[in-house]
């Protein structure tokens, strides 16, 4: 059975739009428009989409914060809204913008309080905290009030707070938003390590596709509240025809009408000395062999397709 | 048991947070004390001007206002924080509350430490004691029960009003001060004997909404006075029942409201 199951999940919001000074019009906006999705135990799923696509709304329905307008949803066999408090004991939630920590207390105190809130046995709590302290390098700011922490430090604190009760499902809403490169790396490698065990199911929304490339084998793209892609990153590339690019520096200039099977010449720079090809098949060797018969190849580079480009194209379509 | 410890942890967390801002804590304490004293003074001033209001003497009026402020202060002390709900709904802080394995209402109540409001309750109870002595109440077992149950029922009643008016925010984020019309407005209504009011206004607030049973009717029963408005003597003992009905309505409104919570974009 799937750890997370959604069937025809839907969320409508009624918004009042100002028309003139006093008149207001009611309008229904559909944030999530019929999502069917199953996520298995131990999966790490990247949940992406443009702003307003319905990512956070879905996550909030999965965690019992929002009541779905229609459809079915179950997490760990529980129905999120009616069984919210029971569900909360088995899931961990990091909403990048909403803190679970006590603003005025040292990080250490927040962790101690959360042990009571989640009713965690002291031994298990200490063991998990020890692991997080080591992996996330919390020790240097454990005694600092949360309000004085940097964003990166606070996010590491939030992650720890979400894990101290040993959840089997972790929901992360933009866990790397606003972080510097070093903090991003720290958070990513921590999540990778956590997911590596295969016990924790993880769903993360993000705008940083490097998070997905690093962490998630499965990618769900939503737009206007619907799933537009569900599969691996490779499948996404294949579907949207993103190609690897071969860039070759030659000793002699190449003729602009040069043609080679399996590749397409897309650019010719440096007076014909640098040629760029889009590879139609996945074999670069044949193209390189063809080129070396014409002129000496001084240097070559193979550029992997950029997921950002693919996703940007996906959003626009 | 485990849940109680959890709430105790939330409470101690809040206590330590507040303790980290000592000066503002003291300032809060002083303003709240001042507020309660002003409430009582307002009634005294009124009676100085007229000697009696709607046939009630100063001492009798004091009994009504003290029963009312006991109930209100106890409610404000325990669930009064809920009026911050609109801020939590507007800013989406409710998200963080709803992902914890605890009921939302007690968590919200514990999100701010009302130690300062405890002072108000102490003042209110002291005024009640003074009012009882001034009125030379003839004690019977029924009246002894009433003098304890009326403030408690009043607290439950006002608590329900707090929750209902705060729940407005689930439907109407910009509800602003409207909720206060019922909480503070209700308290001000109950501070005076019901015959002071007249017409549909009296009918609506005193009887339909039940504010008349918080302080006025119990005060009559304590004084052994017949109700000039004609309700029988046992009406003074109805306040726990009225409070329970109000609490029931509040529970339904709260549960419906929380399902209407729409969070904020992030």
């Amino acid at each position: 059975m799937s750890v997370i199951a959604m069937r025809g999940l839907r969320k409508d919001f009624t918004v009042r739009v100002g028309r003139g000074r006093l008149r207001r019009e009611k309008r229904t906006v559909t944030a999530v428009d019929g999502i069917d999705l199953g996520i298995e135990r131990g999966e790490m799923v990247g949940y992406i989409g443009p702003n307003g696509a319905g990512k956070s709304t879905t996550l909030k329905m999965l965690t019992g914060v929002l009541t779905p307008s229609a459809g079915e949803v179950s997490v760990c066999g529980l129905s999120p809204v009616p069984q919210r408090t029971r569900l909360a004991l088995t899931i961990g939630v990091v909403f990048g913008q909403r803190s679970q920590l006590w603003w005025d207390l040292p990080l250490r105190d927040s962790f101690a309080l959360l042990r009571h809130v989640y009713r965690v046995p002291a031994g298990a709590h200490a063991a998990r905290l020890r692991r997080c302290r080591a992996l996330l390098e919390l020790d240097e700011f454990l005694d600092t009030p949360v309000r004085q922490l940097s964003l990166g430090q606070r996010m590491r604190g939030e992650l720890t707070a979400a894990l101290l009760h040993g959840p089997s499902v972790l929901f992360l809403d933009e866990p790397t938003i606003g972080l510097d490169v070093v903090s991003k790396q720290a958070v990513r490698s921590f999540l990778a390590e956590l997911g590596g065990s295969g016990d924790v199911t993880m769903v993360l929304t993000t705008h940083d596709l490097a998070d997905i490339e690093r962490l998630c084998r499965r990618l769900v793209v939503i737009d206007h509240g619907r799933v537009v892609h569900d599969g691996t990153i490779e499948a996404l590339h294949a579907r949207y025809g993103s190609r690897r690019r071969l860039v070759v520096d030659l000793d002699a200039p190449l003729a602009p009408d040069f043609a080679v099977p399996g590749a397409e010449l897309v650019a010719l720079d440096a007076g014909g000395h640098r040629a760029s090809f889009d590879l139609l098949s996945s074999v670069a060797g044949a193209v390189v062999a063809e080129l070396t018969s014409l002129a000496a190849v001084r240097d070559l580079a193979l550029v992997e397709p950029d997921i950002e480009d693919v996703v940007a194209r996906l959003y626009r379509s | 048991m485990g849940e109680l410890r959890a709430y105790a942890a939330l409470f101690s967390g809040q206590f330590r947070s507040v303790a980290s801002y000592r000066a503002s804590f003291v300032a809060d304490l002083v303003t709240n004390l001042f507020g309660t004293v002003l409430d009582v003074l307002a009634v005294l001033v009124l009676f100085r001007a007229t000697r009696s209001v709607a046939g009630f003497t100063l001492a009798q009026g004091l009994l009504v206002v003290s029963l009312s402020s006991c109930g209100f202060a106890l409610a404000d002390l325990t669930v009064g924080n809920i009026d911050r709900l609109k801020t939590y709904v507007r800013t989406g802080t409710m998200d963080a509350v709803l992902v914890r394995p605890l009921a939302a209402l007690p968590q919200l109540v514990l999100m701010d430490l009302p130690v300062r409001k405890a002072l108000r309750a102490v003042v209110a109870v002291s005024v009640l004691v003074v009012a009882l002595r001034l009125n030379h109440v003839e004690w019977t077992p029924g009246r002894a029960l009433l003098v304890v149950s009326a403030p408690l029922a009043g607290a439950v009643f006002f608590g329900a009003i707090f929750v209902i008016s705060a729940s407005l925010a689930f439907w109407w984020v910009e509800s602003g001060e409207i909720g206060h019309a019922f909480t503070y407005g209700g308290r001000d209504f109950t501070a005076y004997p019901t015959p002071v009011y007249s017409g549909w206004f009296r009918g609506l607030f005193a009887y339909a909404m039940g504010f008349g049973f918080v302080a006025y009717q119990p005060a009559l029963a304590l004084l052994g006075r017949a109700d000039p408005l004609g309700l029988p003597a046992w009406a003074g003992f109805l306040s726990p029942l009225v409070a329970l009905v109000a609490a029931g309505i509040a529970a339904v409104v709260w549960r419906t409201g929380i399902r209407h919570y729409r969070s904020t974009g992030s």
Side-chain angles (χ1 to χ4, degrees):
Chain A
M1 206 194 77
S2 303
V3 170
I4 299 171
M6 294 171 249
R7 276 196 30 213
L9 190 64
R10 194 183 162 88
K11 182 72 187 175
D12 302 315
F13 289 111
T14 312
V15 288
R16 289 183 176 79
V17 192
R19 290 255 183 280
R21 201 165 283 181
L22 287 171
R23 273 189 54 218
R24 286 198 157 188
E25 221 164 73
K26 261 194 187 182
R27 226 178 48 196
T28 303
V29 175
T30 304
V32 172
D33 190 6
I35 287 187
D36 300 287
L37 216 56
I39 295 171
E40 304 305 319
R41 186 185 144 92
E43 268 194 287
M44 291 177 87
V45 177
Y47 198 61
I48 67 167
N51 287 322
K55 303 185 297 288
S56 297
T57 307
T58 314
L59 239 53
K60 283 171 187 168
M61 286 193 281
L62 291 173
T63 50
V65 170
L66 289 179
T67 312
S69 304
E72 288 162 34
V73 55
S74 91
V75 179
C76 303
L78 299 170
S79 184
V81 171
Q83 295 171 297
R84 180 179 65 75
T85 51
R86 262 185 72 196
L87 178 66
L89 290 171
T90 63
I91 61 171
V93 181
V94 177
F95 288 150
Q97 323 275 50
R98 315 251 188 278
S99 186
Q100 279 295 328
L101 304 166
W102 277 259
W103 198 240
D104 296 310
L105 299 185
L107 206 48
R108 186 192 295 279
D109 292 16
S110 283
F111 295 152
L113 291 171
L114 285 169
R115 180 171 91 73
H116 295 295
V117 169
Y118 286 89
R119 290 149 256 166
V120 185
H125 183 268
R128 289 184 194 124
L129 183 55
R130 213 176 307 121
R131 181 157 174 244
C132 288
R133 275 167 68 172
L135 287 172
L136 288 167
E137 293 163 24
L138 303 176
D139 284 357
E140 53 182 305
F141 50 88
L142 210 49
D143 291 305
T144 313
V146 172
R147 62 171 187 267
Q148 290 169 14
L149 296 181
S150 74
L151 186 60
Q153 290 171 332
R154 187 169 72 77
M155 188 53 73
R156 284 185 266 167
E158 299 282 356
L159 271 172
T160 307
L163 289 167
L164 288 174
H165 56 288
S168 55
V169 181
L170 194 57
F171 293 103
L172 304 150
D173 195 5
E174 305 190 16
T176 57
I177 195 167
L179 300 190
D180 63 48
V181 184
V182 179
S183 297
K184 265 185 192 176
Q185 292 292 357
V187 167
R188 275 179 206 145
S189 42
F190 176 73
L191 292 175
E193 156 111 22
L194 191 71
S197 66
D199 297 327
V200 184
T201 311
M202 239 184 267
V203 178
L204 74 113
T205 76
T206 185
H207 284 295
D208 191 336
L209 295 162
D211 290 346
I212 307 278
E213 289 190 302
R214 173 76 203 275
L215 295 170
C216 305
R217 227 156 291 132
R218 183 173 169 196
L219 181 66
V220 175
V221 186
I222 67 162
D223 197 9
H224 296 104
R226 288 166 197 245
V227 175
V228 293
H229 175 82
D230 180 2
T232 58
I233 293 176
E234 291 74 32
L236 186 70
H237 285 313
R239 182 168 154 198
Y240 290 92
S242 34
R243 295 160 185 168
R244 290 192 299 164
R245 175 164 294 188
L246 178 68
V247 182
V248 194
D249 284 342
L250 299 159
D251 268 345
L254 197 66
D257 58 351
F258 173 80
V260 58
E264 188 183 329
L265 181 64
V266 287
L268 209 52
D269 306 303
H273 285 277
R274 166 171 290 184
S276 304
F277 298 90
D278 271 354
L279 295 175
L280 304 178
S281 64
S282 56
V283 226
V287 181
V288 176
E290 184 82 15
L291 285 165
T292 37
S293 69
L294 288 171
V297 171
R298 203 185 307 150
D299 197 5
L300 60 84
L302 202 51
V303 185
E304 291 296 324
D306 189 1
I307 185 174
E308 310 238 359
D309 291 342
V310 185
V311 171
R313 245 187 293 159
L314 196 59
Y315 290 173
R316 275 196 299 269
S317 65
Chain B
M1 259 328 277
E3 287 201 17
L4 276 183
R5 286 238 46 188
Y7 291 124
L10 289 182
F11 183 78
S12 83
Q14 214 50 51
F15 187 84
R16 275 180 276 163
S17 299
V18 171
S20 66
Y21 298 97
R22 238 161 256 169
S24 83
F25 178 70
V26 171
D28 257 7
L29 211 66
V30 172
T31 18
N32 272 274
L33 180 64
F34 198 61
T36 312
V37 171
L38 269 185
D39 289 346
V40 178
L41 277 182
V43 175
L44 293 179
V45 165
L46 181 68
F47 276 92
R48 271 202 83 104
T50 63
R51 287 192 66 92
S52 88
V53 169
F56 287 78
T57 64
L58 170 61
Q60 291 169 338
L62 203 60
L63 183 63
V64 175
V65 74
S66 63
L67 281 173
S68 149
S69 55
C70 273
F72 187 84
L74 285 176
D76 199 18
L77 174 67
T78 47
V79 296
N81 287 333
I82 199 73
D83 72 358
R84 289 222 195 155
L85 179 71
K86 55 179 179 281
T87 320
Y88 300 144
V89 168
R90 204 184 62 232
T91 57
T93 313
M94 267 301 276
D95 293 359
V97 168
L98 288 173
V99 297
R100 284 192 181 151
L102 295 170
L105 191 56
Q107 281 194 71
L108 288 175
V109 164
L110 289 171
M111 271 170 86
D112 186 28
L113 191 73
V115 166
R116 57 207 152 81
K117 290 177 179 169
L119 211 56
R120 282 188 164 208
V122 170
V123 171
V125 173
S126 322
V127 176
L128 177 61
V129 170
V130 170
L132 288 169
R133 301 206 50 178
L134 283 178
N135 282 297
H136 308 291
V137 172
E138 287 170 37
W139 290 106
T140 62
R143 282 181 186 155
L145 181 70
L146 189 62
V147 83
V148 179
S149 69
L152 292 181
V156 173
F157 183 84
F158 278 120
I161 301 288
F162 267 115
V163 170
I164 293 170
S165 48
S167 302
L168 275 181
F170 285 124
W171 287 275
W172 187 20
V173 179
E174 308 121 78
S175 58
E177 302 294 305
I178 289 208
H180 289 166
F182 296 97
T183 51
Y184 293 94
R187 179 198 59 185
D188 292 346
F189 183 94
T190 57
Y192 300 95
T194 305
V196 167
Y197 312 103
S198 63
W200 62 266
F201 182 76
R202 175 165 78 197
L204 178 69
F205 276 84
Y207 303 117
M209 293 175 69
F211 283 103
F213 297 93
V214 172
Y216 171 66
Q217 302 291 355
L220 287 179
L222 283 171
L223 296 168
R225 247 188 97 151
D227 184 3
L229 300 173
L231 282 195
W234 49 261
F237 292 84
L238 282 182
S239 58
L241 197 66
V242 173
L244 277 182
V245 172
I249 295 172
V252 171
V253 172
W254 175 261
R255 276 166 175 273
T256 319
I258 214 157
R259 306 242 158 143
H260 269 85
Y261 175 57
R262 17 188 316 168
S263 188
T264 53
S266 63

